[in-house]
């Protein structure tokens, strides 16, 4: 009888709240010691997944380096698209989006407008150098370069008007919040990636060395923390340890010195690219990439077998870059960790198994790219006016007829002398 009464009573369905894969677990369920990799029971499985994904990423990265400057640039653009997609989705609300058809398309309109503006300014002269042999293309490219800012501004104003025309009552707060969020993403993504592309065309070396050091530092921190980590480093990243941080710093500095010696011996990596062609590069490597012999005979005992070593001067600069990569650049990751905690997510996405999203992998790279560009322009690049700089200005700012007129006048001046 009791069973019948129980069956007749209305049953209340049990609701299961399933935590999303990118949602962080509650703080109450974890203690500091449980978060460390040393005490993580699933650490070997996660390590295998992470290692497998890392091999694929490193393989794709090496292939892009082999194919040259344009392929590396294309890789940067693809990474930017993934990052923008992850960040656009962070504050997206499905219910509001269904009431605003085409509103998401506006985000990508601003994204590609920013891409045209940033990369147009960086690559316009190299595009001119590429088409100088074809007069028709040369005139077309010169025309586009002349009105590049007008075209970009017109596209931006079009997006601005599009946004105003799509405003809906009771949706203003959400729409203006998305508008501001979109612009913040564009500033973060394109301001820093512009330095990355500039580094690529100054010489792949200045892109490859900083990027490799970030990867080395990340892997070394993971390995040292995996086997020796006991002391938590920072609350924003519970699995980061002092042992991993110090071990990674030492490994990064050693790697910077040795890796610069290896990479600095290839003209394909050290020569700047002045156009957008894909041919092999030949250039004078400059004094930074010419070997020098250091004699230690006065400092070492007679029985010591090696009394001199050969180094490239650029290796000393690499130590500065390595120091930044090991101490300062990780704070980009800490910033991203704090950002994710503010939004209560574990990762920005799940596009890379074991690593999270593309943004999770690029947080430190962005900080490193800005430093590498500033360091190169401040301590490496020549500050004086050179023949190449004057020639670039002539090709970019003078029409074909004006260039011919300049050529004839220079001939007259030289003939008089």
């Amino acid at each position: 009888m009791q069973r019948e009464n129980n069956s007749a009573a209305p049953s209340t369905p049990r609701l299961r709240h399933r935590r999303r894969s990118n949602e962080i677990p509650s703080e109450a369920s974890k203690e500091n010691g449980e978060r460390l990799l040393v005490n993580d029971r699933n650490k070997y499985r996660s390590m295998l997944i992470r290692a497998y994904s890392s091999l694929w990423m490193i393989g794709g990265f090496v292939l892009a380096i082999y194919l040259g400057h344009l392929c590396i640039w294309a890789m940067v653009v693809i990474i930017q698209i993934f990052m923008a997609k992850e960040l656009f989705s962070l504050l997206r609300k499905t219910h509001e989006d269904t009431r605003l058809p085409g509103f998401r398309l506006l985000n990508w309109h601003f994204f590609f407008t920013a891409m045209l503006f940033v990369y147009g300014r960086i690559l316009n002269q190299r595009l001119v150098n590429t088409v100088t042999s074809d007069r028709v293309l040369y005139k077309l490219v010169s025309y586009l370069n002349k009105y590049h800012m007008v075209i970009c501004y017109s596209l931006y104003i079009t997006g601005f008007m599009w946004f105003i025309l799509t405003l809906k009552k009771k949706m203003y707060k959400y729409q203006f919040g998305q508008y501001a969020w979109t612009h913040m993403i564009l500033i973060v993504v394109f301001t820093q990636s512009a330095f990355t592309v500039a580094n690529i065309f100054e010489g792949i070396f200045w892109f490859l060395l900083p990027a490799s050091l970030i990867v080395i530092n990340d892997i070394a921190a993971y390995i040292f923390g995996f086997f020796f980590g006991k002391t938590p480093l920072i609350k924003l990243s519970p699995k980061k340890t002092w042992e991993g941080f110090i071990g990674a710093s030492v490994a990064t500095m050693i790697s910077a010195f040795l890796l610069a010696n290896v990479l600095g011996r290839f003209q394909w990596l050290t020569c700047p690219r002045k156009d957008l062609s894909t041919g092999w590069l030949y250039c004078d490597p400059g004094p930074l990439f010419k070997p020098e012999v250091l004699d230690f005979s006065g400092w070492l005992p007679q029985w010591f077998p090696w009394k001199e070593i050969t180094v490239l001067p650029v290796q000393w600069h690499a130590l500065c870059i390595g120091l930044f990569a090991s101490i300062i650049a990780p704070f980009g990751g800490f910033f991203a960790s704090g950002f994710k905690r503010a939004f209560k997510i574990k990762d920005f996405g799940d596009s890379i198994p074991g690593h999270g999203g593309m943004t999770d992998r690029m947080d430190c790279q962005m900080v490193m790219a800005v430093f590498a560009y500033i360091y190169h322009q401040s301590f490496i690049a020549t500050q004086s006016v050179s023949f190449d700089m004057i020639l670039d200005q002539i090709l970019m700012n003078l029409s074909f007829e004006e260039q011919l007129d300049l050529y004839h006048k220079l001939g007259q001046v030289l003939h008089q002398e």
Side-chain angles (χ1 to χ4, degrees):
M1 190 69 177
Q2 186 177 356
R3 184 178 299 174
E4 291 177 1
N5 290 338
N6 290 342
S7 62
S11 60
T12 303
R14 296 179 62 187
L15 298 178
R16 291 187 177 181
H17 298 281
R18 187 176 181 182
R19 181 166 59 86
R20 293 179 301 173
S21 61
N22 66 333
E23 184 180 341
I24 61 172
S26 62
E27 294 295 332
S29 65
K30 297 187 295 185
E31 295 295 333
N32 247 354
E34 293 177 356
R35 299 178 199 169
L36 300 179
L37 284 173
V38 204
N39 303 316
D40 191 349
R41 295 179 180 178
N42 297 321
K43 65 178 183 178
Y44 290 103
R45 180 176 178 274
S46 62
M47 184 183 186
L48 287 175
I49 295 174
R50 189 182 179 98
Y52 184 74
S53 299
S54 298
L55 288 176
W56 275 101
M57 286 191 294
I58 293 172
F61 185 76
V62 171
L63 179 62
I65 297 297
Y66 173 77
L67 293 176
H69 302 71
L70 290 181
C71 287
I72 303 173
W73 173 43
M75 178 184 68
V76 171
V77 171
I78 293 172
I79 290 173
Q80 284 181 311
I81 293 174
F82 273 96
M83 290 178 63
K85 181 176 179 293
E86 292 167 359
L87 294 172
F88 284 153
S89 301
L90 199 57
L91 293 184
R92 180 177 298 176
K93 296 181 180 178
T94 306
H95 176 68
E96 282 79 356
D97 283 355
T98 55
R99 298 173 57 188
L100 298 169
F103 187 71
R104 285 297 149 198
L105 189 60
L106 182 60
N107 290 340
W108 292 107
H109 172 82
F110 284 122
F111 177 85
F112 287 107
T113 300
M115 182 182 293
L116 178 63
F117 176 75
V118 171
Y119 293 141
R121 291 178 65 85
I122 295 175
L123 303 178
N124 56 3
Q125 182 54 52
R126 292 177 174 84
L127 182 58
V128 170
N129 295 342
T130 307
V131 299
T132 48
S133 59
D134 190 316
R135 188 168 180 178
V136 177
L137 277 177
Y138 176 79
K139 285 188 173 182
L140 176 62
V141 170
S142 300
Y143 179 83
L144 292 175
N145 283 340
K146 183 177 181 180
Y147 298 103
H148 169 252
M149 294 188 69
V150 174
I151 295 170
C152 294
Y153 183 71
S154 300
L155 289 172
Y156 179 81
I157 288 297
T158 302
F160 176 75
M161 294 172 63
W162 180 359
F163 169 74
I164 298 298
L165 293 173
T166 56
L167 288 173
K168 284 190 177 182
K169 193 175 181 180
K170 297 182 180 180
M171 301 285 292
Y172 297 151
K173 185 176 181 180
Y174 176 73
Q175 287 181 280
F176 276 99
Q178 289 292 307
Y179 185 81
W181 179 242
T182 299
H183 282 67
M184 194 199 80
I185 292 171
L186 296 181
I187 290 172
V188 170
V189 172
F190 278 103
T191 301
Q192 299 183 64
S193 61
F195 293 106
T196 303
V197 176
N199 291 338
I200 293 170
F201 285 93
E202 287 291 343
I204 297 178
F205 177 92
W206 300 108
F207 161 77
L208 181 57
L209 178 66
S212 300
L213 293 180
I214 291 295
V215 174
I216 291 170
N217 183 263
D218 186 57
I219 293 174
Y222 184 80
I223 291 175
F224 279 97
F226 185 89
F227 290 106
F228 308 108
K230 295 289 184 182
T231 313
L233 174 63
I234 187 171
K235 291 182 179 180
L236 285 174
S237 297
K239 291 186 178 180
K240 303 290 185 182
T241 62
W242 276 105
E243 292 81 2
F245 182 79
I246 296 172
S249 298
V250 175
T252 303
M253 293 294 292
I254 296 173
S255 300
F257 191 78
L258 299 178
L259 192 59
N261 187 286
V262 176
L263 300 180
R265 298 179 182 274
F266 297 93
Q267 290 190 20
W268 176 246
L269 301 177
T270 58
C271 294
R273 173 68 76 179
K274 297 297 184 181
D275 54 27
L276 299 181
S277 62
T278 57
W280 194 258
L281 287 172
Y282 299 96
C283 67
D284 180 4
L288 282 180
F289 299 101
K290 293 180 178 178
E292 293 181 350
V293 177
L294 296 181
D295 188 1
F296 295 100
S297 56
W299 298 77
L300 298 173
Q302 294 294 327
W303 54 265
F304 198 79
W306 298 288
K307 293 185 174 56
E308 60 181 30
I309 59 172
T310 302
V311 299
L312 303 179
V314 76
Q315 289 180 255
W316 308 116
H317 294 284
L319 287 176
C320 297
I321 297 175
L323 185 65
F324 186 92
S326 58
I327 296 179
I328 308 299
F331 279 84
F334 301 152
F335 176 84
S337 297
F339 192 86
K340 288 184 285 187
R341 286 185 172 275
F343 286 91
K344 293 183 171 60
I345 58 173
K346 182 182 177 182
D347 298 309
F348 285 102
D350 54 2
S351 54
I352 310 175
H355 294 266
M358 193 66 72
T359 310
D360 296 283
R361 288 298 88 210
M362 298 304 298
D363 44 18
C364 299
Q365 291 285 4
M366 292 299 183
V367 178
M368 191 72 222
V370 177
F371 173 78
Y373 178 81
I374 293 174
Y375 187 90
H376 180 271
Q377 294 299 312
S378 301
F379 302 106
I380 306 297
T382 55
Q383 301 299 320
S384 59
V385 178
S386 65
F387 171 78
D388 288 337
M389 293 172 62
I390 297 174
L391 184 61
D392 287 344
Q393 292 299 316
I394 291 173
L395 292 174
M396 186 168 57
N397 296 312
L398 298 183
S399 66
F400 185 75
E401 289 74 16
E402 291 172 332
Q403 292 175 31
L404 283 176
D405 187 42
L406 176 63
Y407 171 77
H408 292 306
K409 288 183 178 179
L410 284 174
Q412 293 174 3
V413 170
L414 293 173
H415 181 71
Q416 291 174 359
E417 292 182 356

